[in-house]
Every structure is written in structure tokens, then in C-alpha cells.
Amino acid sequence: MRALLSRLERFRSVDRVGDPARAAAEAVLPNHGVRDALHGRWLGHPLHPAVVQFPLGAWLSATVLDLLPGTRREATTLLVAGTAAALPAAVTGTADFTTLSREQRRVAVVHALANTAALGLIASSIVARLRGRHATGRWLSLAGVGVAGGSAMLGGHLSFSQDAGANHSAAALPLVPEGWHDLGPAAAYPPGALEARMLGETPVLVHREDDRFSVLIGRCAHRSGPLVDGTQVEIDGDACVQCPWHGSVYRLRDGRAMRGPASSDQTILRTRIRNDRLEAARP
Ligand code: FES
């Protein structure tokens, strides 16, 4: 399975579908605000993995009910509810698709095709059940759940092996050694300054606003871009930093993601002033 998935990641022929599909997804969801909402920026967490639980859970529950006598109507109701819940899952997945790398898109294309096949099988099962062909309906939904389960595994591969949707700034946090670390004299940071520093092997970004300091991990939460090379911008009167790679914007005082494609907030460190020197530590 591992070898198969690695081959899929390198299978360039899928780009003939993946590249136009990405362009189509960007055309359908042209508004960055809408895309950010679908990524889950407002939630501070990727939305797609959360909403896919509803169709999968409903379809799986229906197949369990199929094993019990006198539950035909309940099983059909669950299949219909799960099919309706597949729409938000598909829309959030389409938004996430626009942010993926080529290798991730190859896996995502197969994931989307498998989901479409599963949806077709479940829809056919509902039709068969409504026509009174319950045995056929049961087999069709069982096949649909099987395909959906395989597809969910591809989704898991995207998240866990290919890091799609992961918070890369949180992943960098354990590299900061435990305890408080000296970041130099507080007076060396002029108000409004945005300075890059190193904490051990981890780049950090220091911002000073009046007498308040914030220290952010210097790798972007989206895909580990060099936030230390980011541009300072202002959104709604708040000082923010914009990642040079894909344009995610984070509020400097608390790391909040103000613009996607990042759906997670940027990880920040605790700060304190001791003997007129700025110190930072893991939260
Ligand atoms: S790495 Fe993608 S926005 Fe920073």
C-alpha cells in the first residue's frame, strides 16, 4: 500500500486531470473570503476533515441498521441524510484542493473520484430501496461504504503523510528548547519593529507594539514558508505579517490567521521582560 501511494504521488499523468481541475475550482470559488471560510479559517482548524464525518457516519450507520430486522425506513433515512451532508464535504474539499501541491493533488484527484463513485453507489442504493428492491439497495450501499472507506484512507494519507492542512508552525514548536530564552535587550526593538531571530534551530519573528512584545514561530502555519521574510501589513487597524509564499496573513499580537489559505493560527510563544531583556518560552 505504501509503495502504491508513493507511485500515485509521482504519477504525472494525473496532472492532466489535476491541473485543469484546480483551475476550474479556482474559477468556481474565485472569492478569497469564501475560500478562506471553506478552509475553516474562522474555526482556526481545517473544516473539511470535520464535515466529512457526517456523510461517512450516516452511511456507515445505515449499513449497520441493514443487519437488523425492521429498520428499512431508518436505514434509508440515514442514507438520504448522509448524501445531503456530502455536499458541504465536497465544497470544502474543493476549496482545499486549490491550495495543494502537485504531489498532493494527484492523491486528491483519486480521492475525489472515489468519493464520486461512492456517492453514485449510495444514490443508486436509495433509488433501489425506494422502488422496493431492498436486497439490491443493501448491496449497493455496502459497496458505497467500502469505496468511501478506501477514499477516506486516501484523505488520511493526504493529511498525515503529505501534511495537507497540517499546522506547520505548531510542528516547529517542539524544536524550541524548554525554558525561557534570551532575545536581547528589549530597548533594541523599536516600536513597530518586526525582527527575525533564532531560538535554537527555530526561526522566530519578534514584534513590538508600544510596550507589548509578541514572538511568533518563523515558519508559516500553512506550508512552512519563511514568515521571517514576510511583509508587514495592516488589517482592520491590526499589525499583521503576510507570508511570501502563498499570502496567508497573521495578526502579530496573537498569531490569528486573518487571511488564508492557512486555516490554522500561527503559533506564538510566551514573552516576558527580565532585567530589561526580552525572553520567550514555549506556551
Ligand atoms: S506557506 Fe503558504 S501561505 Fe505561507
Side-chain angles (χ1 to χ4, degrees):
M1 183 56 72
R2 208 179 293 157
L4 201 65
L5 288 170
S6 328
R7 282 185 69 178
L8 175 57
E9 288 173 22
R10 296 193 304 270
F11 196 41
R12 290 166 190 267
S13 302
V14 183
D15 297 343
R16 273 184 254 147
V17 178
D19 291 355
R22 182 196 187 176
E26 284 178 343
V28 172
L29 302 169
N31 184 310
H32 266 287
V34 171
R35 253 192 258 167
D36 282 1
L38 294 170
H39 292 319
R41 189 181 58 75
W42 55 275
L43 191 62
H45 188 281
L47 193 53
H48 181 65
V51 297
V52 296
Q53 310 305 319
F54 293 98
L56 280 177
W59 292 343
L60 196 57
S61 302
T63 57
V64 173
L65 284 184
D66 279 342
L67 300 173
L68 305 174
T71 56
R72 282 178 178 174
R73 182 190 291 211
E74 291 79 0
T76 306
T77 304
L78 276 172
L79 288 177
V80 172
T83 302
L87 181 66
V91 175
T92 51
T94 302
D96 288 356
F97 186 75
T98 62
T99 72
L100 300 180
S101 68
R102 268 234 161 91
E103 293 74 16
Q104 292 168 337
R105 276 209 301 279
R106 290 169 191 152
V107 177
V109 163
V110 180
H111 175 58
L113 290 174
N115 283 340
T116 307
L119 191 60
L121 286 163
I122 298 287
S124 307
S125 167
I126 294 170
V127 171
R129 288 164 194 255
L130 292 177
R131 288 182 176 165
R133 292 161 52 209
H134 290 280
T136 306
R138 276 199 289 271
W139 283 113
L140 283 167
S141 57
L142 192 61
V145 166
V147 174
S151 178
M153 194 197 66
L154 289 177
H157 180 77
L158 267 166
S159 299
F160 297 113
S161 295
Q162 294 186 289
D163 262 356
N167 181 343
H168 290 263
S169 68
L173 191 60
L175 299 176
V176 177
E178 292 278 4
W180 289 96
H181 303 282
D182 183 44
L183 282 167
Y189 298 94
L194 188 61
E195 312 246 348
R197 292 282 188 277
M198 291 298 287
L199 273 188
E201 294 182 4
T202 308
V204 295
L205 207 51
V206 182
H207 179 247
R208 176 177 185 177
E209 196 170 316
D210 300 326
D211 282 337
R212 196 170 57 193
F213 288 85
S214 47
V215 178
L216 291 80
I217 292 289
R219 296 192 197 288
C220 177
H222 176 230
R223 256 200 251 150
S224 211
L227 209 56
V228 285
D229 296 334
T231 314
Q232 198 166 341
V233 295
E234 196 177 294
I235 292 185
D236 300 335
D238 287 315
C240 300
V241 61
Q242 182 161 34
C243 177
W245 278 11
H246 310 103
S248 290
V249 176
Y250 303 97
R251 193 160 61 194
L252 284 162
R253 83 175 128 91
D254 56 5
R256 175 159 188 172
M258 304 293 282
R259 270 193 208 144
S263 54
S264 303
D265 295 339
Q266 186 67 16
T267 302
I268 63 165
L269 302 174
R270 286 185 293 153
T271 58
R272 71 180 184 187
I273 303 291
R274 278 286 160 94
N275 301 322
D276 296 327
R277 298 182 72 85
L278 174 64
E279 294 182 349
R282 279 156 63 165

